Amino acid sequence: MTTIIRSTVKCPYPNCGHTGDVITALHCRTAHNMERKELFGKYGQPEAVRFNMDAAKKNLEGHIPPKPLNTGYPSDTMHAKDMRTTRSKRK
C-alpha cells in the first residue's frame, strides 16, 4: 500500500497555524481581516509543510482499512430477503 501525502502550505500570519493545499482569500479575510495579497506582502509567502515519512508510516501501523460495504444487490430484492432468511435459519 502506498501512502500519498499532497503538498501542504502553512499560513504566514504569526501564530496562525492554518494549513491547507492553498491559503484561500476567504481564510485571509475571515481570520486576519486582510486581502490575500496584503497578507502575503506583509508576512511573506506561505511556507511548505514538510512531512516526516517515517512518522507518517508509524502512525499508520496497525491501521486496518474498513471493509467495503456489500453493494452487490439492493436490500429490498427477493434475493436479499432469501439470503437474510437463510442466514437467520443457520443460527
Side-chain angles (χ1 to χ4, degrees):
M1 179 177 158
T2 303
T3 303
I4 298 173
I5 298 176
R6 298 187 307 195
S7 63
T8 303
V9 293
K10 181 180 175 208
C11 179
Y13 193 85
N15 300 319
C16 175
H18 176 77
T19 59
D21 293 334
V22 295
I23 303 302
T24 63
L26 179 64
H27 167 74
C28 296
R29 283 188 207 117
T30 57
H32 309 302
N33 201 23
M34 293 181 174
E35 290 300 317
R36 195 161 109 168
K37 283 185 179 181
E38 180 184 0
L39 181 84
F40 291 173
K42 191 171 184 179
Y43 298 106
Q45 293 295 315
E47 301 172 18
V49 176
R50 307 265 186 243
F51 289 98
N52 182 337
M53 289 307 292
D54 292 332
K57 288 176 184 175
K58 186 161 182 69
N59 191 33
L60 290 173
E61 282 179 11
H63 173 72
I64 300 169
K67 292 183 180 179
L69 295 174
N70 182 1
T71 56
Y73 50 85
S75 60
D76 60 344
T77 63
M78 283 307 295
H79 178 69
K81 292 174 184 173
D82 291 341
M83 290 300 291
R84 282 194 296 270
T85 304
T86 304
R87 275 191 236 121
S88 66
K89 288 179 181 176
R90 284 187 217 159
K91 294 179 182 178

